[in-house]
Amino acid sequence: GENVEQHPSTLSVQEGDSAVIKCTYSDSASNYFPWYKQELGKGPQLIIDIRSNVGEKKDQRIAVTLNKTAKHFSLHITETQPEDSAVYFCAASTLYSGGSNYKLTFGKGTLLTVNP
Amino acid sequence: DAGITQSPRHKVTETGTPVTLRCHQTENHRYMYWYRQDPGHGLRLIHYSYGVKDTDKGEVSDGYSVSRSKTEDFLLTLESATSSQTSVYFCATQHGEIYNEQFFGPGTRLTVL
């Protein structure tokens, strides 16, 4: 089955700096790669995603890149702010055999701390 | 958040007792999922449903059962709770086919003593 590795497990940056979180996946059939942000005591919230036919996607200060050949994708946060502090999860998604819903396999998460 | 609520939000129980967690959604999403979240393991899929009365196992399904009698409700049951099932449980929904996002509920923190 799919295996998703996420690095680093913790990341501390100064406010205004950039943060990069990287993930690799094993199943070449994976075709959808979402990123979730989880604040303390809350459920994960989708912040950005990328499909396999796209190499990069941006949404204001957040961007995600995908390299299908190397099977890795990354989350980039620019001009970090204290409210960006949270746990971030990457995931890779494959279509269930014979079905139409998608199975998400998650990385183990990155605790991002943005210091004022 | 796809109008997802989970109940209870917190529960403490004793080993050997049955426990049922409820997930309720108001968006008429077809697919529903139960995950558990543990330190060092991230989110792992327990069971999922692809329609009323249609369910299947995820990667950590041992000791859990599910039921979905209505589109809006997905129940997770621990028939005989064990301390290894102490965790935070999240329900998620997905609208339908083709690259659709999963939306997560607020979670239930379960402690088995």
Side-chain angles (χ1 to χ4, degrees), chain B residues 13 26 88:
Chain B
T13 191
T26 58
V88 181

Side-chain angles (χ1 to χ4, degrees), chain A residues 36 38 46 51 89 100 108, chain B residues 31 37 40 97 99 102:
Chain A
Y36 286 85
Q38 186 177 26
L46 179 72
R51 323 294 188 190
F89 291 96
S100 56
K108 290 182 169 54
Chain B
Y31 303 103
Q37 184 175 39
E97 298 77 7
Y99 298 113
Q102 288 189 17

Side-chain angles (χ1 to χ4, degrees), chain A residues 30-49:
Chain A
S30 288
N31 52 17
Y32 171 60
F33 306 91
W35 286 88
Y36 286 85
K37 175 183 180 182
Q38 186 177 26
E39 297 176 340
L40 193 63
K42 296 184 178 180
Q45 181 181 14
L46 179 72
I47 56 172
I48 195 168
D49 55 19

Side-chain angles (χ1 to χ4, degrees), chain A residues 14-109:
Chain A
Q14 289 299 123
E15 183 177 358
D17 288 349
S18 295
V20 180
I21 302 170
K22 298 181 179 181
C23 290
T24 61
Y25 62 99
S26 61
D27 189 345
S28 57
S30 288
N31 52 17
Y32 171 60
F33 306 91
W35 286 88
Y36 286 85
K37 175 183 180 182
Q38 186 177 26
E39 297 176 340
L40 193 63
K42 296 184 178 180
Q45 181 181 14
L46 179 72
I47 56 172
I48 195 168
D49 55 19
I50 191 167
R51 323 294 188 190
S52 59
N53 58 347
V54 174
E56 182 175 2
K57 183 178 179 180
K58 289 184 180 180
D59 183 2
Q60 300 183 348
R61 296 186 296 108
I62 295 174
V64 58
T65 59
L66 171 64
N67 183 327
K68 285 191 64 180
T69 302
K71 293 187 199 156
H72 66 72
F73 56 112
S74 300
L75 177 71
H76 304 253
I77 305 174
T78 59
E79 301 174 17
T80 54
Q81 301 167 3
E83 52 264 40
D84 293 330
S85 296
V87 178
Y88 291 81
F89 291 96
C90 64
S93 179
T94 52
L95 182 64
Y96 274 112
S97 176
S100 56
N101 63 314
Y102 286 77
K103 171 185 177 183
L104 287 181
T105 301
F106 286 85
K108 290 182 169 54

